[in-house]
Amino acid sequence: MADQKIPQVTAKRLPLYYRYLEKLHAIGKQRVSSAQLSEALQIDPATIRRDFSYLGELGKKGYGYNVNYLLQFLRDFLKQDEVTNVVLIGVGNLGTALLRYNFYRSHNTKIVAGFDIDSNKVGKEIDGIPIFSIDRFAEVKELHNVEVAILTVPANVAQQVTDRIVAAGIRGILNFTPARLTAPPNVRIHHIDLTTELQTLIYFLKKFPPEENRE
Ligand code: ATP
């Protein structure tokens, strides 16, 4: 795959190319020249050739670009660049730590909002991430096109919060509470119980000290 470090100006034009190529594809066009693209999109042909050169060997001189190939290439390329927006519910100690943790640095994942019922927390920001009332969940979720939620509420409310966010269309939940949650089969729940993990580690250390495991 081509180098990911393409200039921002080029990256911004890729969706334009993509949309236009989709149109060409829809009317059955097989190839397109940079001159044709230039005219349709009002972008200088030299700029188009330079943009495409960042993506690798996409066209032959005198032939132009293969519409299908270019379309598939851009589709894959843009998908890799896609950022997945997630939200977090329960801005307590653990929730705050996770909001502060910059998932975005190493992955294309970004927490775009926190939710809580505590009026002292609602309306504030943590590291630039706004905290909303849980009553606004459906609205904010729709706005940011969110399908995944991190759950850091107290265990005794975890199921009711789950029911609510699932009803709003959440499809993936990272459950940091010790509660065992139930949800419809189209919802995926991953469970991270830090307390139990720590206790299990300590139990194994006591019961099976590592030295004894080694031959
Ligand atoms: P702290 O007490 O400092 O907030 P904590 O992690 O000990 O931290 P918890 O009692 O575990 O707090 O609650 C975590 C967060 O979940 C709190 O901010 C609380 O206000 C919030 N919370 C509780 N019930 C709900 C709910 N039904 N919906 C959304 N958030 C909730």
Side-chain angles (χ1 to χ4, degrees), residues 13 16 19 39 49 53 59 78 83 91 99 102 104 113 116 142 147 149 153 165 170 178-179 199 206 210:
R13 280 190 288 266
L16 293 178
R19 276 200 294 277
E39 205 184 302
R49 280 194 293 273
S53 73
L78 292 169
V83 174
V91 190
L99 286 180
N102 191 356
Y104 191 54
D116 210 288
E142 283 307 310
E147 292 194 316
V153 293
I165 63 176
I170 284 293
Q199 279 169 346
K206 280 193 186 138

Side-chain angles (χ1 to χ4, degrees), residues 89-95 115-118 121 134 152-154 157 160-161:
I89 306 155
V91 190
N93 289 310
L94 182 56
F115 294 89
D116 210 288
I117 42 159
D118 185 342
K121 295 176 180 175
I134 187 77
T152 47
V153 293
V157 298
Q160 82 190 45
V161 171

Side-chain angles (χ1 to χ4, degrees), residues 22 95 108 194:
E22 265 191 329
N108 287 349
L194 293 175

Side-chain angles (χ1 to χ4, degrees), residues 53-179:
S53 73
Y54 290 117
L55 306 176
E57 286 297 317
L58 293 177
K60 286 194 210 103
K61 252 209 151 53
Y63 173 89
Y65 302 97
N66 179 305
V67 171
N68 268 341
Y69 179 78
L70 200 52
L71 198 56
Q72 186 59 47
F73 188 93
L74 286 174
R75 188 177 292 139
D76 291 346
F77 196 89
L78 292 169
K79 224 181 243 157
Q80 285 184 2
D81 252 21
E82 230 170 57
V83 174
T84 306
N85 287 340
V86 308
V87 292
L88 179 139
I89 306 155
V91 190
N93 289 310
L94 182 56
T96 302
L98 291 172
L99 286 180
R100 293 218 157 104
Y101 180 75
N102 191 356
F103 290 97
Y104 191 54
R105 198 178 302 150
S106 46
H107 303 99
N108 287 349
T109 316
K110 193 175 169 194
I111 302 182
V112 290
F115 294 89
D116 210 288
I117 42 159
D118 185 342
S119 58
N120 292 317
K121 295 176 180 175
V122 170
K124 304 244 162 72
E125 282 191 357
I126 291 177
D127 273 7
I129 302 170
I131 313 303
F132 296 95
S133 161
I134 187 77
D135 292 334
R136 295 186 60 192
F137 186 82
E139 170 204 339
V140 178
K141 176 215 165 280
E142 283 307 310
L143 182 69
H144 291 285
N145 202 12
V146 173
E147 292 194 316
V148 174
I150 300 172
L151 204 58
T152 47
V153 293
N156 63 329
V157 298
Q159 186 62 54
Q160 82 190 45
V161 171
T162 298
D163 295 344
R164 183 170 191 167
I165 63 176
V166 166
I170 284 293
R171 294 184 52 240
I173 298 174
L174 192 57
N175 174 25
F176 276 93
T177 83

